[in-house]
Amino acid sequence: MSAQSSHDGPKLDVAIYPELSPDAGDPSAGLRRFAEAAGITLARLRFAEGASASRGPVTLVVERGRGNVHVALDRNRHEIRVDLTMPWLGAALSGDAETLTDAAQAIDDWQRGEPLTVIAGRRPWLTASPRAVAHEEGRAVEYAWDMARAAAAGQGNGPLVEEAYNTPELRRLVPFLSHGRLAFHRSPVPPFSHDLFEVGPDDDDGSWRVGSQQAPLGTHTVVTTVAEAIALVVDALPPDCNPAIQAGDSELD
């Protein structure tokens, strides 16, 4: 079933949302009315899938190239949740608006392309995602390394991550940790090429298995030190392996 238009969506109880009384409880009409009163022109609103269900919030969606805005109004209490999301990154800004005017102003900031930090500074009820801010500011690679190093600190793969971090050829790529394995990508967001070597712990204590993510484990090389493992990854880098594309220069903008 396709998403509903803004004209046939569910209505909210005006005893809970008295500001929607002039709109007969229609949150879409209400949000647009409050926006117009504030001199804001909103992009097309639609109800999210499942908005007509008897449970859960009634969610309005504004779709923009930068990402979507979800305005979720709780059915049982006066609560207006606003989530501004970016492709592949999820929530970029999130918070609870006190009024529909607050929600409309946040949408307006988003539609006009204001930086995340500016929007969050202007709307204290919104919290910006550090990851999304790093991507927007072109610091996605550095942020990924900070997260990888923090996750590996004190763990068995901690020395591996630190060795990779201190290797210039790998530090310019995006690290990805999963189940103890350290992989590298050319971009901080999908699609990933999966053409670079990864390193993971071998069955034997203290050993490391190195090889292509696309090749069977049986074809990987087993070495005993992190220095050897990182050297194999570097030696296997393709000639065209340039520094990772920062999200600030990618299609996320």
Side-chain angles (χ1 to χ4, degrees):
M1 180 178 177
S2 61
Q4 298 175 345
S5 75
S6 60
H7 302 292
D8 59 1
K11 304 299 188 290
L12 291 168
D13 187 344
V14 295
I16 298 175
Y17 292 92
E19 66 268 40
L20 295 180
S21 294
D23 314 291
D26 183 341
S28 176
L31 179 58
R32 195 172 294 282
R33 178 170 57 83
F34 277 95
E36 291 174 354
I40 297 168
T41 300
L42 297 180
R44 187 180 76 87
L45 295 171
R46 67 172 176 83
F47 284 98
E49 287 281 359
S52 293
S54 59
R55 296 182 179 180
V58 174
T59 302
L60 293 165
V61 181
V62 179
E63 295 181 343
R64 302 294 292 174
R66 183 184 189 185
N68 296 343
V69 183
H70 292 77
V71 180
L73 296 93
D74 194 281
R75 297 173 190 268
N76 303 311
R77 62 182 181 276
H78 194 286
E79 181 178 283
I80 306 170
R81 179 72 181 180
V82 179
D83 291 295
L84 303 97
T85 64
M86 298 173 73
W88 300 113
L89 297 178
L93 289 159
S94 299
D96 293 323
E98 290 188 7
T99 68
L100 289 173
T101 298
D102 291 336
Q105 290 172 335
I107 296 172
D108 185 48
D109 289 344
W110 183 258
Q111 290 179 160
R112 290 186 290 103
E114 294 281 11
L116 299 178
T117 52
V118 170
I119 300 175
R122 185 179 294 151
R123 318 285 172 205
W125 53 274
L126 283 171
T127 299
S129 158
R131 181 182 179 215
V133 170
H135 278 249
E136 184 178 70
E137 295 180 347
R139 298 183 290 103
V141 176
E142 292 86 346
Y143 181 83
W145 274 112
D146 288 344
M147 294 299 99
R149 295 178 73 198
Q155 304 298 315
N157 58 358
L160 175 70
V161 173
E162 289 301 311
E163 183 76 17
Y165 176 76
N166 290 316
T167 303
E169 296 91 340
L170 300 183
R171 190 164 171 178
R172 65 187 187 178
L173 299 173
V174 183
F176 183 77
L177 284 174
S178 177
H179 300 92
R181 299 192 307 274
L182 174 62
F184 303 92
H185 297 306
R186 305 183 191 217
S187 170
V189 295
F192 300 127
S193 62
H194 298 293
D195 64 336
L196 308 180
F197 273 19
E198 67 176 15
V199 183
D202 189 49
D203 292 336
D204 298 326
D205 291 341
S207 296
W208 301 95
R209 186 178 293 272
V210 187
S212 170
Q213 301 174 48
Q214 299 173 321
L217 285 177
T219 65
H220 289 196
T221 301
V222 176
V223 295
T224 57
T225 68
V226 295
E228 291 175 295
I230 294 303
L232 286 175
V233 175
V234 172
D235 288 344
L237 290 176
D240 64 344
C241 192
N242 297 315
I245 297 173
Q246 296 277 7
D249 301 323
S250 75
E251 295 180 357
L252 285 181
D253 286 343

